[in-house]
């Protein structure tokens, strides 16, 4: 958290809130010479600083001295947003006791729930949901709490969000769903959970690629193994290519073998009339792609 400090007394209030120095904070506030809602030029308040730093007693003192619970700084962030971002569940609960709202958004559409989900703070996510947070919150690009937690691999948070009604196939504006993102990042356990909860194994985004295609290109074999349990398409996709083409371009022999064992056809050309074998110079990969050798192996 960055902030510009103003007067010397405000500087001291911010310092006390950031360091958790309750005695100094009380001394300053009780002096009557500085307001509990003193702000810097970004609109940062001492309550935001205490909430970000996780100092429960300092946050409570500021609230009791009249600090505005739901004040938004220049970026749109509130004290609840900062406490949620840092995983300070006790502070989050305190803020709710005094009327914190889950509805405020940052300039990019972020909420306390989206940021808690992104950083994997399960207890905070649970507290937010119990206090009215919307599981369908979206950033400006359409990313949901489920999408953000899938991107970062937070399995326990994903389970909680799904149990609270999150839509497993909700996508961003570019068509990217949580399964695709988890596959790209190599989060095999997340992929398993999403598939078991009904994720569309063949959902593609605007560029026509699927979760299997992206995992194949990246060489995320543990992800591919999970996807193959649900029989995804190994044929031509909307992007005019196959997962086998992607695997060959990625250069991972084990990935190529996984797809061949799943009946991926090495004789299917892409939209440029190229076979998978045309996309590599690796002798090891070329050997396993050769149809005659495949037949001999079988």
């Amino acid at each position: 958290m960055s902030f510009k400090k103003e007067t010397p007394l405000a500087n001291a209030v911010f310092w006390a809130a950031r360091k958790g120095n309750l005695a100094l904070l009380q001394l300053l506030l009780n002096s009557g010479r500085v307001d509990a809602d003193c702000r810097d030029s970004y609109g940062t308040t001492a309550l935001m600083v205490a909430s970000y730093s996780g100092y429960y007693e300092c946050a409570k003192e500021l609230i009791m001295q009249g600090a505005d619970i739901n004040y938004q700084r220049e970026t749109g962030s509130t004290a609840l947003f900062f406490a949620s971002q840092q995983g300070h569940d006790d502070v989050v609960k305190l803020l709710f006791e005094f009327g914190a709202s889950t509805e405020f958004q940052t300039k990019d559409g972020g909420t306390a729930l989206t940021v808690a989900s992104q950083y994997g703070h399960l207890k905070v996510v649970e507290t937010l949901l119990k206090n009215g947070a919307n599981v369908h919150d979206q950033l400006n690009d359409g990313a949901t709490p489920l999408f953000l937690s899938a991107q970062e691999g937070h399995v326990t948070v994903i389970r909680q969000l799904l149990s609270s009604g999150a839509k497993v196939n909700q996508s961003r504006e570019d068509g990217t769903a949580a399964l695709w993102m988890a596959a790209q990042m190599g989060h095999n356990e997340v992929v398993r959970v999403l598939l078991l909860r009904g994720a569309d194994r063949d959902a593609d985004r605007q560029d026509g690629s699927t979760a299997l295609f992206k995992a194949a290109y990246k060489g995320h074999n543990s992800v591919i193994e999970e996807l193959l349990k649900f029989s995804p398409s190994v044929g031509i996709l909307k992007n005019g290519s196959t997962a086998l083409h992607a695997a060959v371009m990625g250069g991972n022999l084990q990935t190529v073998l996984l797809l061949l064992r799943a009946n991926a056809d090495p004789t299917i050309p892409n939209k440029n009339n190229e076979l998978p074998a045309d996309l590599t110079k690796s002798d090891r990969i070329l050997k396993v792609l050769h149809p005659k050798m495949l037949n001999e192996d079988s």
Side-chain angles (χ1 to χ4, degrees):
M1 170 187 279
S2 62
F3 53 88
K4 293 180 181 177
K5 298 170 246 182
E6 300 298 326
T7 67
L9 283 177
N11 289 352
V13 170
F14 280 121
W15 186 90
R18 188 171 72 253
K19 297 296 184 180
N21 192 325
L22 179 60
L24 175 60
L25 184 63
Q26 290 174 325
L27 181 66
L28 291 165
L29 295 175
N30 290 336
S31 72
R33 299 174 60 196
V34 62
D35 191 88
D37 266 334
C38 59
R39 299 158 189 161
D40 70 7
S41 58
Y42 292 127
T44 311
T45 66
L47 179 58
M48 292 177 191
V49 175
S51 299
Y52 178 91
S53 302
Y55 291 118
Y56 178 96
E57 293 299 334
C58 287
K60 186 174 182 179
E61 181 66 26
L62 285 159
I63 293 170
M64 299 308 293
Q65 293 271 6
D68 185 344
I69 293 280
N70 292 313
Y71 185 79
Q72 291 178 277
R73 78 192 297 251
E74 187 179 274
T75 60
S77 305
T78 62
L80 181 65
F81 181 94
F82 285 121
S84 300
Q85 180 187 57
Q86 298 304 113
H88 301 310
D89 190 48
D90 57 341
V91 177
V92 169
K93 290 177 178 176
L94 172 70
L95 293 169
F96 276 130
E97 286 178 22
F98 289 90
S101 172
T102 61
E103 296 182 1
F104 291 100
Q105 295 182 329
T106 61
K107 287 185 176 180
D108 66 356
T111 64
L113 183 60
T114 61
V115 76
S117 300
Q118 180 179 357
Y119 285 92
H121 300 309
L122 177 61
K123 289 184 178 180
V124 172
V125 168
E126 291 173 341
T127 299
L128 291 168
L129 290 169
K130 287 177 182 176
N131 285 274
N134 186 353
V135 75
H136 306 302
D137 280 345
Q138 294 183 34
L139 300 185
N140 293 344
D141 66 1
T144 62
L146 181 68
F147 181 94
L148 294 166
S149 56
Q151 183 175 21
E152 301 300 327
H154 302 308
V155 178
T156 55
V157 171
I158 287 168
R159 289 195 176 103
Q160 178 62 54
L161 292 169
L162 289 170
S163 297
S164 300
K167 297 177 182 178
V168 71
N169 290 310
Q170 179 75 40
S171 63
R172 281 190 319 197
E173 290 182 351
D174 64 359
T176 308
L179 180 66
W180 190 101
M181 183 56 69
Q184 174 185 250
M185 302 303 293
H187 300 314
N188 60 298
E189 191 174 354
V190 172
V191 167
R192 181 188 312 123
V193 170
L194 292 173
L195 287 168
L196 288 170
R197 295 298 295 268
D200 182 354
R201 64 189 184 277
D202 288 321
D204 52 20
R205 63 178 202 163
Q206 288 177 358
D207 64 6
S209 64
T210 62
L212 181 63
F213 183 93
K214 196 63 181 182
Y217 182 73
K218 291 277 191 173
H220 294 317
N221 295 328
S222 58
V223 168
I224 293 171
E225 289 171 350
E226 295 298 334
L227 288 164
L228 290 177
K229 294 175 184 177
F230 289 78
S231 303
S233 173
V234 292
I236 285 289
L237 302 174
K238 290 180 182 178
N239 63 2
S241 193
T242 69
L244 188 56
H245 283 90
V248 171
M249 288 188 292
N252 189 308
L253 176 62
Q254 185 60 35
T255 304
V256 173
L257 288 169
L258 278 172
L259 292 173
L260 290 173
R261 291 171 190 146
N263 298 318
D265 189 345
T267 67
I268 295 178
N270 63 16
K271 63 183 178 181
N272 297 320
N273 204 33
E274 298 167 314
L275 297 175
D278 297 329
L279 303 177
T280 183
K281 294 182 180 179
S282 167
D283 290 337
R284 297 176 69 199
I285 292 179
L286 286 170
K287 183 177 180 180
V288 300
L289 287 173
H290 196 289
K292 182 178 179 180
M293 289 184 179
L294 286 175
N295 291 332
E296 290 175 355
D297 290 343
S298 64

